[in-house]
Amino acid sequence: MSLLEISNLSVVFGGLKALCDFDLTLEQGELVGLIGPNGAGKTTTFNIVTGVYRPTAGDVRLDGRSIVGFKPHQINHRGIARTFQNIRLFAGMSVLDNVLVGFNQSLRHGFAGTVFRTPRHQHEDQRNQDRAVELLSTLGLDDRAMEIAHNLPYGDQRRLEIARALATNPKVLLLDEPAAGMNPQEKIELSGLIEMIRQRFGVGIWLIEHDMKLVMSICQRLTVLDHGQVIAVGTPEQVRADPRVCEAYLGEPT
């Protein structure tokens, strides 16, 4: 049984088949990529898996249990977290508070505990503060904990979004174009960060990315989409050499 198993996933929008019979498995600690030209259906696939859209057909199973029909917050609670192509932070809040929001889904002290500041509430708050600081340190943001999020450099905003996702304690982490807008040095640092997260946290990572240098260097397997159809699956070397991929996306091999 795979950690994440997607089978025969399809979705139709107003007669347009945006995704057709998509299959994928992801194991714990594995890093796989999803690539393809703009409009191929990559983010649509993420949106189905995370409950934003409901599939027309097919199934998504996490730890052997179907999550189709669950709402995004319920899917996150069960162990799937994501980042977005366009960074979505609480821009006016501090870096630390952004990460603490990620821990809120696991709070257990309830409304009364919050109002009356019970010992359990205070203990949970302190524990989450400590965990948030530790997480920021792991991702190299501990010296920016009290800064306002929108004041961070672009690369650090990406790190913060990943930190907030990790705060939900996911089994599977979905990264939607994390290198978008980054300069070459930031992309190198991002590559190392993703590999560190995979090894340290043991999560399965599923990555959408257009930067082929990054994808080819860190992903263990790739799936290639074109117009909602899977046209190739394999190692980076196999995908790079596939004539269908070259024609649809990568261009002629050199």
Side-chain angles (χ1 to χ4, degrees):
M1 181 181 67
S2 297
L3 175 61
L4 178 68
E5 185 174 0
I6 302 170
S7 55
N8 303 314
L9 203 63
S10 300
V11 65
V12 177
F13 297 124
L16 173 67
K17 231 174 189 182
L19 190 68
C20 182
D21 296 330
F22 182 89
D23 296 325
L24 179 132
T25 59
L26 179 67
E27 309 296 342
Q28 182 178 353
E30 193 174 24
L31 203 171
V32 301
L34 180 63
I35 65 173
N38 288 329
K42 303 182 299 297
T43 297
T44 295
T45 307
F46 270 22
N47 284 338
I48 296 171
V49 170
T50 56
V52 178
Y53 302 148
R54 183 161 187 155
T56 306
D59 199 12
V60 180
R61 303 181 75 83
L62 180 67
D63 280 335
R65 296 183 177 181
S66 178
I67 55 173
V68 170
F70 285 60
K71 295 180 179 179
H73 74 274
Q74 294 172 320
I75 291 173
N76 176 247
H77 189 75
R78 281 159 177 76
I80 297 180
R82 72 175 294 184
T83 65
F84 296 86
Q85 183 177 347
N86 299 313
I87 297 174
R88 299 185 186 182
L89 295 173
F90 297 104
M93 293 169 55
S94 72
V95 169
L96 179 63
D97 284 341
N98 266 271
V99 176
L100 286 172
V101 167
F103 286 115
N104 283 346
Q105 60 93 21
S106 63
L107 291 177
R108 305 191 188 284
H109 53 247
F111 177 75
T114 302
V115 171
F116 296 109
R117 298 286 298 173
T118 62
R120 181 176 181 178
H121 171 275
Q122 295 178 48
H123 174 74
E124 268 197 299
D125 270 4
Q126 186 58 56
R127 184 189 65 180
N128 286 342
Q129 286 270 349
D130 294 342
R131 292 166 67 195
V133 169
E134 181 181 1
L135 189 54
L136 288 173
S137 177
T138 301
L139 271 69
L141 291 170
D142 49 319
D143 60 339
R144 297 184 178 273
M146 303 316 297
E147 290 190 33
I148 300 302
H150 71 75
N151 292 336
L152 293 180
Y154 187 83
D156 284 347
Q157 289 188 33
R158 285 285 183 191
R159 285 176 177 262
L160 177 55
E161 190 179 34
I162 294 172
R164 188 180 61 189
L166 289 171
T168 66
N169 194 31
K171 302 172 184 176
V172 176
L173 177 62
L174 276 54
L175 303 176
D176 192 349
E177 295 195 37
M182 287 189 172
N183 62 44
Q185 181 57 40
E186 287 173 333
K187 289 179 181 180
I188 292 172
E189 293 171 357
L190 175 67
S191 177
L193 177 68
I194 292 172
E195 180 60 28
M196 181 275 291
I197 289 170
R198 183 178 72 86
Q199 294 186 13
R200 178 157 183 165
F201 294 90
V203 295
I205 299 177
W206 191 14
L207 170 75
I208 292 175
E209 187 51 63
H210 282 293
D211 189 299
M212 287 300 98
K213 184 176 180 181
L214 188 151
V215 166
M216 296 293 178
S217 67
I218 65 174
C219 290
Q220 297 164 293
R221 288 188 291 115
L222 294 173
T223 298
V224 188
L225 274 178
D226 187 31
H227 295 96
Q229 297 270 358
V230 175
I231 61 172
V233 178
T235 66
E237 294 76 17
Q238 291 169 333
V239 166
R240 185 188 288 120
D242 191 307
R244 295 169 299 175
V245 179
C246 294
E247 180 181 355
Y249 186 45
L250 296 180
E252 291 298 319
T254 57

